[in-house]
């Protein structure tokens, strides 16, 4: 499906046009349209690939999708929502929805004990277009609900007033169209060596190359529902990797680590004789099966039989080895007869590369036999459904090559056993698969939080949640027999629902291994030992016991805390304890996606050193559509986010909070006005005694949102303790003196500067990174700052490398206030 229908809003009486388009061989000409799952009559609506509805009535609201079909198969589009408003009804309410931001710690709590303040938000829902603006199938930007007016408020905080801008009124305007990107690295699954200058294809189109370190950036084309990318090693050392990459439709960047499978060393075969190549004999296990090539099976592209020496490389990806899951291609899905994309459960994939021994020219084959050892299939119901598949590299979908049927046979001189046998012709370089369609399916609800408090307002969007389906060994849940498939979903404002295989009869028939990453950083799962706390895990008993929740370090505290395993026990509809998540039946996707935060769900959270961020103009970094153009916006450009950090070294017996206060410095519209605050706790350097370091964000200098004048941000760095400044980086001091005006630094308990406009580097103790995603820009800058280099990355603090300013802190006498406290209680005097 190359064009999907788009969500529309109309007023009753108007008309609407939905469009879809499919590609294939032969070219699809037959289209069917459905409203809320019911087929619309072609004679009544006279539709083809385009559906026109005139004189709309309220009952025509709902979801619409199309299906295209030919004799080769069918494919369904994604659904589009139609909202039909009554005459005079507003699609964008002027009153903003509640949206809470946390105030700084020195601000008083309200009557309920909360330090959160409602700044309001406008949901970016589509607005009804005027009849003149209603394009038919074009990529119209449309109109969306957004901020029409903001008001400045002042909140009394510790003897001073904290400014905050709140949304006063919402209204319709042009929809924000943030860029959607996927970034990452491509490396070898075995050694981690990068794929240097590998080719990247989207569909059949080459879109670029990987970098020297294997890095890549892909801009997701508009209207993409499934992003299928193929990575090709031009030196042919690796099997082509076809990946279905998750992305965030709200805009910004998702980070992905792509693993490539190294090709097996070729063996020499005599093309005039019959040959058998084992599939998956690694690590002392019995092979899963074998590829049998009869005499004369090898063909040149012209069709001429080749009987000479053949260099044959057959690379098998064995799901009995848990480490291979990350290197598997595609998301193991195929299209059924109804056009639905449905999942497969793999028993192994193999890639073949046959070449003439002397010239290295590629060879094809006539009919060859694939034999699979039936003893390797532990679920007896799968023996009747096993099929042979090949991967379409453009769609990322598996296509049926043939059925595997039982036959008796011998393996070498060993005992007779049952094989599943299928036939195949290898005409192009594709990946092949021994798979079973599996219809026992569920969804698993997972949410990610910014900390261990699991506050509903502090959920993280843009987190990639990955689920690997495992087939456990009975009685040994921690030691699975094999993996079966995998899925990745990006969290939205209400978490994520991940497809998984499940079973209603045996809760432990399938288990799931779940991880979460944000910009390459792994999030932590909730602990399961020494005591399982249902309130922390997010699932109530007794269902939690049936799921058998275990974090990876359950039995061994040395293992990582960043994954958990559960039994995917299908909920019993007659048991009220199992009807509130976190597992939902496959037909209840909508219920899973719209579940309230109070419903059962599984959790990850971000382990952060104490950190606090406050923006005068509120902005949710996980939702780029929440950006508001304002002179006091922390990020002045929604297409490009520049993150700036300063490295502070602290010599003292403990870890200290360090604050950056950022106000307008040189721009006439913002001079003296607050942009925001950042608090960061310093991190101890494990190699230096009584020394810690802090990487503190500050607002970069540069153009403000109107792109007319530069503002040099006035940045004050203040450690929150009895501290005095003992050193300033010489290069930074010289730079600031050469680029006036120079900020006064007359108080030794702080460091003040008019922030540099130039992107300096580690030699100055300043770290600047620009990216289309604010969080990713910050992650990269923090990694460099911890490392003290301009191109490295570290999670361990190297406090004395690449530092801008040094403070010495000591424990103050009891009863004496620190400078920071005096600044809060009596700012004028301080």
């Amino acid at each position: 499906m190359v064009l999907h229908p788009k969500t529309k809003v109309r007023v009753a009486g108007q008309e609407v046009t939905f469009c879809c388009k499919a590609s294939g061989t032969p070219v699809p000409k037959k289209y069917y349209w459905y409203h809320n799952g019911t087929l619309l009559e072609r004679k009544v609506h006279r539709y083809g690939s385009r559906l026109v509805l005139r004189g709309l009535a309220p009952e025509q609201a709902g979801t619409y999708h199309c299906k295209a079909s030919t004799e080769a198969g069918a494919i369904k589009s994604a659904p589009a929502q139609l909202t039909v408003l009554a005459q005079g009804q507003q699609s964008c309410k002027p009153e903003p929805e509640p949206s809470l931001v946390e105030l700084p710690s020195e601000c008083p709590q309200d009557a309920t004990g909360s330090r959160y303040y409602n700044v309001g938000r406008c949901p970016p829902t589509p607005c009804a277009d005027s009849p003149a603006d209603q394009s038919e199938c074009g990529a119209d930007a449309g109109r969306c609900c957004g901020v029409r007016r903001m008001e400045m408020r002042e909140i009394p905080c510790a003897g001073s007033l904290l400014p905050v801008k709140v949304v006063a009124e919402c209204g319709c305007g042009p929809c924000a169209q943030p860029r959607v990107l996927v970034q990452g690295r491509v490396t070898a699954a075995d050694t981690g060596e990068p794929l240097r200058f590998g080719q990247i294809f989207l569909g059949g189109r080459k879109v670029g190359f990987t970098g020297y370190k294997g890095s890549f950036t892909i801009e997701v084309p508009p209207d993409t529902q499934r992003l299928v990318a193929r990575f090709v090693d031009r030196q042919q050392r690796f099997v082509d990797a076809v990946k279905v990459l998750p992305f965030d439709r709200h805009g910004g960047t998702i980070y992905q680590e792509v693993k490539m499978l190294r090709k097996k060393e070729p063996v020499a075969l005599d093309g005039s004789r019959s040959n058998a190549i084992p599939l998956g004999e690694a690590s002392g296990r019995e092979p899963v099966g074998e590829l049998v090539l009869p005499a004369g099976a090898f063909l040149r592209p012209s069709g001429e039989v080749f009987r000479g020496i053949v260099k044959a490389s057959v690379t098998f990806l064995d799901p009995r080895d848990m480490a291979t899951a990350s290197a598997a291609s595609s998301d193991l899905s195929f299209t059924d007869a109804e056009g639905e994309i449905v999942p497969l459960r793999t028993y192994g994939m193999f890639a073949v590369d046959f070449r003439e021994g002397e010239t290295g020219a590629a060879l094809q084959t006539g009919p060859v036999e694939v034999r699979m050892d039936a003893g390797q299939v532990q679920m007896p119901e799968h023996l009747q459904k096993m099929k042979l598949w090949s991967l379409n590299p453009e769609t990322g979908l598996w296509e049926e090559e043939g059925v595997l049927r039982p036959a008796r046979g011998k393996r070498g001189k060993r005992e007779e056993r049952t094989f599943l046998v299928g036939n195949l012709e290898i005409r192009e370089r594709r990946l092949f698969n021994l798979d079973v369609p599996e219809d026992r399916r569920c969804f698993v609800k997972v949410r990610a939080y910014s900390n261990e408090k699991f506050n509903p307002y502090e959920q993280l969007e843009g987190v990639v949640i990955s689920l690997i389906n495992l087939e456990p060994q009975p009685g040994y849940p921690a030691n699975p027999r094999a993996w079966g498939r995998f899925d990745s979903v990006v969290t939205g404002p209400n978490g994520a629902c991940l497809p998984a295989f499940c079973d209603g009869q045996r809760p432990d028939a399938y288990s799931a291994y779940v991880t979460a990453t944000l910009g390459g950083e792994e999030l932590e799962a909730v602990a399961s030992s020494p005591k399982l706390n249902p309130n922390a895990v997010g699932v109530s008993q007794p269902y939690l016991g049936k799921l058998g929740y275990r974090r990876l370090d359950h039995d061994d505290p040395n293992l990582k805390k960043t994954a958990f395993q559960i039994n995917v026990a299908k909920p019993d509809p007659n048991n009220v304890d199992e009807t509130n998540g976190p597992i939902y039946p496959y037909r209840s996707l909508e219920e899973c996606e719209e579940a309230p935060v109070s419903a059962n769900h599984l959790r990850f959270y971000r382990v952060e050193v104490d950190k606090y961020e406050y923006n005068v103009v509120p902005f949710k970094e996980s939702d780029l559509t929440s950006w508001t153009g304002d002179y006091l916006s922390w990020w002045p450009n929604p297409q490009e986010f520049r993150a700036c950090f300063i490295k502070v070294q602290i010599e003292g017996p403990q870890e200290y909070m360090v604050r950056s206060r950022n106000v307008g410095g040189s721009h006439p519209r913002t001079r003296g006005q607050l942009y925001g605050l950042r608090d960061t706790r310093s991190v101890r350097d494990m190699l230096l005694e009584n020394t810690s370091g802090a990487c503190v964000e500050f607002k970069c200098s540069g153009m403000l949102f109107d792109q007319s004048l530069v503002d040099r941000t006035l940045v004050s760095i203040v450690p929150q303790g009895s501290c005095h400044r003992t050193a300033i980086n010489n290069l930074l001091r010289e730079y600031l003196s050469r680029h006036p005006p120079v900020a006064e630094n007359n108080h030794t308990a702080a460091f003040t500067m008019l922030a540099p406009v130039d992107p300096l580097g580690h030699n100055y103790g300043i770290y600047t990174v620009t990216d289309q995603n604010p969080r990713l820009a910050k992650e990269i800058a923090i990694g460099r700052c911890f490392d003290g280099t301009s191109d490295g990355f570290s999670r361990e603090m190297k406090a004395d490398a690449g530092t801008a300013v040094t403070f010495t802190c000591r424990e103050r006498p009891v009863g004496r206030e620190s400078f920071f406290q005096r600044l809060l209680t009596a700012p004028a005097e301080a």
Side-chain angles (χ1 to χ4, degrees):
M1 189 63 69
V2 292
L3 178 66
H4 296 262
K6 292 183 173 65
T7 290
K8 306 269 174 121
V9 178
R10 294 289 185 267
V11 176
Q14 289 183 337
E15 71 172 56
V16 69
T17 302
F18 288 113
C19 308
C20 79
K21 187 183 175 188
S23 66
T25 309
V27 174
K29 295 219 169 64
K30 221 168 195 184
Y31 289 86
Y32 304 88
W33 283 93
Y34 297 79
H35 175 220
N36 293 337
T38 302
L39 180 65
L40 296 172
E41 284 189 50
R42 191 188 302 273
K43 287 179 185 171
V44 174
H45 295 282
R46 298 184 179 175
Y47 58 69
S49 63
R50 154 185 315 204
L51 171 69
V52 181
L53 303 173
R54 296 182 174 86
L56 284 170
E59 60 270 18
Q60 288 177 285
T63 60
Y64 288 83
H65 77 266
C66 82
K67 181 173 88 174
S69 73
T70 69
E71 58 268 35
I75 186 78
K76 271 185 185 176
S77 75
Q81 190 75 28
L82 174 63
T83 303
V84 180
L85 304 171
Q87 293 286 344
Q89 184 184 351
Q90 290 177 313
S91 53
C92 176
K93 294 190 176 116
E95 306 80 35
E97 288 184 355
S99 177
L100 302 183
V101 297
E102 187 181 3
L103 298 176
S105 56
E106 63 269 17
C107 294
Q109 297 177 345
D110 64 15
T112 62
S114 167
R115 205 176 276 118
Y116 285 86
Y117 191 83
N118 182 12
V119 295
R121 70 181 279 271
C122 302
T125 49
C127 289
D129 289 320
S130 64
D133 294 338
Q134 293 169 11
S135 68
E136 294 188 348
C137 299
D140 53 328
R143 294 166 76 244
C144 293
C145 194
V147 176
R148 179 162 282 173
R149 186 167 57 86
M150 297 189 86
E151 283 177 0
M152 180 69 89
R153 305 245 177 100
E154 291 184 322
I155 302 162
C157 280
S160 62
L161 294 173
L162 180 75
V164 60
K165 283 212 162 184
V166 300
V167 178
E169 186 186 351
C170 301
C172 290
C175 295
Q177 295 208 297
R179 293 173 72 194
V180 180
L181 300 169
V182 176
Q183 291 182 342
R185 281 179 76 229
V186 188
T187 54
D190 52 357
T191 63
E193 99 183 73
L195 174 69
R196 294 195 168 115
F197 313 120
Q199 296 172 313
I200 306 170
F201 292 84
L202 289 187
R205 187 169 56 91
K206 186 158 73 175
V207 294
F209 297 89
T210 59
Y212 183 74
K213 291 187 175 180
S215 57
F216 67 89
T217 299
I218 297 171
E219 182 154 2
V220 182
D223 204 39
T224 299
Q225 296 292 326
R226 215 164 161 269
L227 181 65
V228 179
R230 179 163 55 108
F231 299 90
V232 177
D233 175 21
R234 293 192 291 176
Q235 297 174 26
Q236 293 299 310
R237 296 162 304 157
F238 302 107
V239 177
D240 293 0
V242 177
K243 296 287 182 180
V244 180
L245 299 171
F247 59 94
D248 189 350
R249 294 174 201 283
H250 290 113
T253 312
I254 293 295
Y255 185 85
Q256 279 291 106
E257 287 279 354
V258 174
K259 302 291 182 191
M260 290 188 86
L261 202 59
R262 192 178 298 278
K263 281 187 179 174
K264 197 149 188 207
E265 284 298 315
V267 293
L269 302 178
D270 184 344
S272 62
R273 311 178 102 184
S274 178
N275 294 280
I277 301 173
L279 300 173
E281 77 279 40
S283 60
R285 291 190 176 103
E286 285 276 315
V288 169
E290 58 189 5
L291 186 63
V292 180
L293 302 140
F298 295 106
L299 307 172
R300 288 184 164 135
S302 62
E304 176 196 349
V305 174
F306 179 79
R307 299 187 182 275
I309 298 298
V310 176
K311 288 283 181 73
S313 168
V314 177
T315 308
F316 187 74
L317 186 133
D318 194 337
R320 296 173 300 177
D321 177 359
M322 298 307 300
T324 60
S326 63
S329 268
S330 94
D331 60 353
L332 286 164
S333 299
F334 76 105
T335 311
D336 68 8
E338 288 301 306
E340 293 252 18
I341 294 178
V342 285
L344 292 167
R345 189 271 197 226
T346 187
Y347 280 89
M349 305 178 190
F350 60 97
V352 299
D353 190 7
F354 299 132
R355 295 183 180 272
E356 294 183 25
E358 286 183 18
T359 66
L363 292 169
Q364 302 174 351
T365 77
V368 299
E369 207 173 67
V370 179
R371 297 159 67 84
M372 183 180 178
D373 182 354
Q376 297 294 331
V377 182
Q378 304 296 334
M379 292 187 172
E381 63 271 27
H382 285 179
L383 289 168
Q384 283 75 46
K385 299 194 288 184
M386 192 70 67
K387 292 181 179 179
L388 192 57
W389 308 77
S390 70
L391 179 62
N392 182 325
E394 294 190 10
T395 64
L397 295 169
W398 294 88
E399 297 170 353
E400 190 179 325
E401 291 280 344
V403 179
L404 295 175
R405 305 195 185 282
R408 304 292 291 172
K410 285 189 178 177
R411 173 171 285 163
K413 296 179 180 175
R414 285 174 279 175
E415 81 281 8
E416 192 169 283
R417 57 178 67 194
T418 302
F419 285 92
L420 298 173
V421 179
N423 292 304
L424 172 71
E425 288 188 25
I426 300 167
R427 296 291 184 193
E428 55 183 319
R429 212 173 65 207
R430 279 197 173 196
L431 193 60
F432 299 98
N433 205 343
L434 303 162
D435 271 28
V436 171
E438 178 60 279
D439 49 14
R440 295 175 291 177
R441 296 177 282 161
C442 291
F443 285 99
V444 181
K445 182 74 178 204
V446 182
R447 297 179 190 270
Y449 293 85
S450 60
N451 55 50
E452 222 174 337
K453 295 173 189 166
F454 305 121
N455 188 320
Y457 295 106
E458 296 182 306
Q459 290 189 65
L460 292 173
E461 297 179 46
V463 175
V464 180
I465 313 283
S466 297
L467 184 150
I468 302 175
N469 260 116
L470 309 175
E471 185 187 314
Q473 295 193 42
Y476 299 94
N479 189 14
R481 190 156 38 207
W483 62 268
R485 74 170 277 110
F486 47 85
D487 277 282
S488 293
V489 177
V490 177
T491 57
N494 200 33
C497 294
L498 287 106
F501 295 146
C502 58
D503 195 280
Q505 265 52 56
R506 287 199 359 248
D508 61 350
Y510 275 118
S511 63
Y513 176 90
V514 188
T515 59
T517 58
L518 178 65
E521 170 199 355
E522 293 180 313
L523 272 59
E524 199 159 296
V526 179
S528 58
S529 63
K531 193 165 183 282
L532 189 66
N533 179 354
N535 290 335
V537 175
V539 181
S540 54
Q541 292 286 23
Y543 199 16
L544 180 59
K546 189 173 177 181
L547 299 180
Y549 177 92
R550 296 162 70 93
R551 193 166 73 176
L552 202 55
D553 65 345
H554 185 86
D555 296 319
D556 182 354
N558 294 320
L559 291 178
K560 292 205 292 188
K561 302 172 180 174
T562 53
F564 65 78
Q565 205 168 311
I566 56 165
N567 299 323
V568 193
K570 188 174 184 179
D572 177 357
N574 301 314
N575 184 341
V576 70
D577 293 318
E578 299 181 12
T579 56
N580 194 32
I583 315 290
Y584 293 82
Y586 196 73
R587 296 288 167 211
S588 303
L589 172 60
E590 197 172 328
E591 188 186 339
C592 177
E593 288 182 331
E594 295 176 3
V597 75
S598 57
N600 285 335
H601 59 273
L602 295 153
R603 293 169 171 169
F604 286 93
Y605 62 93
R606 198 168 185 190
V607 182
E608 286 205 324
V609 289
D610 292 333
K611 204 172 185 178
Y612 171 74
E613 298 180 356
Y614 175 77
N615 297 327
V616 169
V617 179
F619 172 59
K620 204 173 177 184
E621 288 176 1
S622 57
D623 180 8
L624 302 190
T625 59
S626 69
W627 181 85
T628 309
D630 192 284
Y631 281 102
L632 294 176
S633 294
W634 184 275
W635 307 97
N637 181 352
Q639 296 292 328
E640 191 176 77
F641 295 90
R642 193 164 165 229
C644 294
F645 284 77
I646 183 168
K647 188 165 184 177
V648 179
Q649 181 178 343
I650 295 184
E651 292 165 352
Q654 58 189 42
E655 294 168 339
Y656 298 84
M657 290 298 282
V658 182
R659 168 168 289 184
S660 81
R661 192 168 190 277
N662 303 266
V663 300
S666 61
H667 196 291
R669 291 289 297 263
T670 62
R671 191 179 293 129
Q673 293 188 65
L674 185 69
Y675 290 118
L677 307 170
R678 297 292 186 265
D679 291 347
T680 306
R681 186 174 293 282
S682 63
V683 177
R684 193 164 293 289
D685 187 319
M686 293 307 181
L687 301 178
L688 298 174
E689 196 178 347
N690 285 342
T691 304
S692 61
C695 293
V696 188
E697 187 185 7
F698 64 89
K699 185 186 181 301
C700 306
S701 291
M703 294 283 190
L704 298 188
F705 93 101
D706 63 1
Q707 301 295 308
S708 66
L709 268 180
V710 166
D711 182 46
R712 295 274 304 274
T713 313
L714 182 62
V715 180
S716 301
I717 304 294
V718 189
Q720 301 181 18
S722 289
C723 306
H724 65 277
R725 191 179 68 247
T726 49
I728 298 173
N729 180 304
N730 286 332
L731 287 175
L732 179 60
R733 180 185 285 160
E734 284 174 26
Y735 176 91
L736 294 173
S737 65
R738 287 201 317 270
H739 294 80
V742 176
E744 290 183 8
N745 261 310
N746 55 10
H747 200 293
T748 59
F751 169 69
T752 306
M753 67 173 178
L754 280 155
V757 177
D758 300 305
L760 304 180
H762 67 285
N763 291 329
Y764 298 80
I766 303 289
Y767 301 84
T768 307
V769 172
T770 302
D771 195 90
Q772 282 84 9
N773 183 313
R775 279 200 313 232
L776 202 57
K778 286 157 76 162
E779 284 297 318
I780 296 167
I782 290 170
R784 291 176 183 176
C785 179
F786 267 59
D787 197 47
T789 63
S790 289
D791 57 358
F793 190 89
S794 176
R795 289 264 172 231
E796 290 183 9
M797 175 58 74
K798 299 169 185 172
D800 60 344
T803 301
V805 59
T806 303
F807 289 90
T808 301
C809 303
R810 57 188 173 82
E811 297 305 294
R812 66 181 179 280
V814 178
R816 184 172 164 214
E817 284 189 325
S818 70
F819 170 70
F820 185 80
Q821 286 169 321
R822 297 205 305 280
L823 198 64
L824 299 180
T825 53
E829 185 189 313

